[in-house]
Amino acid sequence: MKYGKNRWISYLWIAGIVIGSLGLSGCKSSSQKEEGSIVVENKGKKTKAEASIFAMDTFMTITAYGTQAEEAVQEAQHEIEYLDQLLSAGSSDGEVGEINQNGFGSCSQDTAYLLERSFELHEKTDGAFNVMMYPLMEKWGFISGDYKVPPQEAIDRLLPLTDISKVSYDSKEGKIQFLEKGMKIDFGGIAKGYTSSCIMDIFEQYNISSGIVNLGGNVQVKGKKTDGSDWRVGIRDPKGEKEYLGILSVSDKAVITSGGYERVFEENGVKYHHILDPKTGKPAQGGLDSVTIVCEDGTLADGLSTSLFVMGFEEAQNYWMDHSNEFDMILVANDGTIYVTEGLEDKFESQMTKVHIIRQKNK
């Protein structure tokens, strides 16, 4: 059974990581056992189950507390594996990969959901979020790792293949077709956020009141920690000069960061990152080093972190002004200044001196 289809919807490492979670590595006590790749620790009436998995090209961890914690983590593993295969853009073994290979196909419930959410975000962000960037990502070498700056004529030739209006989609029949040969869809900018939301639904199904998933830096938490305190998530320093910029205290939230530091290469003294601006086909240059989105919906958080990075410093702030009821954010500008929206003012701790609060203009 699949979850999360009926609603609209990081140890210090990568974008963010839970600070206070207890690892189960090393020697196990008599109250611990291993079930496959799941480590289980029994503490009275409450069980802790934790598993690690490599999927979606990243290292992931799942932790749950509750009487059905082991079952919940096992189901979450299955969900990750299922979605990884289903949504892989470059593999012909999965649904999305097959659609890309053929230029048409049928969409399962998950693919249809993500497609419709992607269309919605594309419209709301004035095109900053675009799931059709795969041909350009390939040309830049961000898929294969063979990085190179494409000539302008190659970018100009491929830009029409990213036109989302050339995607024909019948929502009633679940049918999709690309109207131009060579178009490919890629949910990489939203898939891990969707996956974490699905795992939160699994946690709910198994009565998990406290849990966390870290999908390669995309963090989402269920409830509070077992001691009643908030989960503490470290926000990575995009410049790599410090371990982290600050710590965010959250419960029942996704904390997802996008930045120009994950896939980067240098050519002729210029650095290029993998977040492409759909308008230019080149790495976005909006004055930001990273964007962290905090909200209840992992799918939205993932999509917006990419979108606002593409929009740039000014437009990202304006977008939040218009949608402050949907999310909060942390922006890191190119000069290292941190901008935190007012909803996180009492939740974000930092020793950095350059921290500013973004407030609604009418307050």
Side-chain angles (χ1 to χ4, degrees), residues 3-5 7 53 60-64 72-73 75-81 83 192-206 208 211-215 220 222:
Y3 307 91
K5 317 310 189 275
R7 57 184 175 83
I53 183 173
M60 303 179 172
T61 60
I62 314 155
T63 306
V73 169
E75 184 68 19
Q77 282 184 297
H78 292 160
E79 184 78 349
I80 290 171
E81 292 164 354
L83 291 174
K192 288 197 287 292
Y194 174 64
T195 301
S196 67
S197 284
C198 289
I199 294 173
M200 293 301 107
D201 291 339
I202 291 172
F203 282 0
E204 188 73 22
Q205 180 77 13
Y206 284 93
I208 301 301
I212 178 169
V213 294
N214 173 17
L215 310 185
Q220 190 158 356
K222 172 71 173 171

Side-chain angles (χ1 to χ4, degrees), residues 89 100 131-135 138 161 178 182-186:
N100 285 341
V131 291
M132 303 305 298
M133 300 298 293
Y134 199 79
E138 285 184 307
L161 301 184
F178 304 143
M183 298 181 74
K184 293 181 181 181
I185 195 165
D186 178 18

Side-chain angles (χ1 to χ4, degrees), residues 29 106 111 174 245 268 321 352 358:
S29 70
S106 299
T111 303
L245 294 178
N268 297 324
M321 292 290 178
M352 304 291 286
I358 306 173

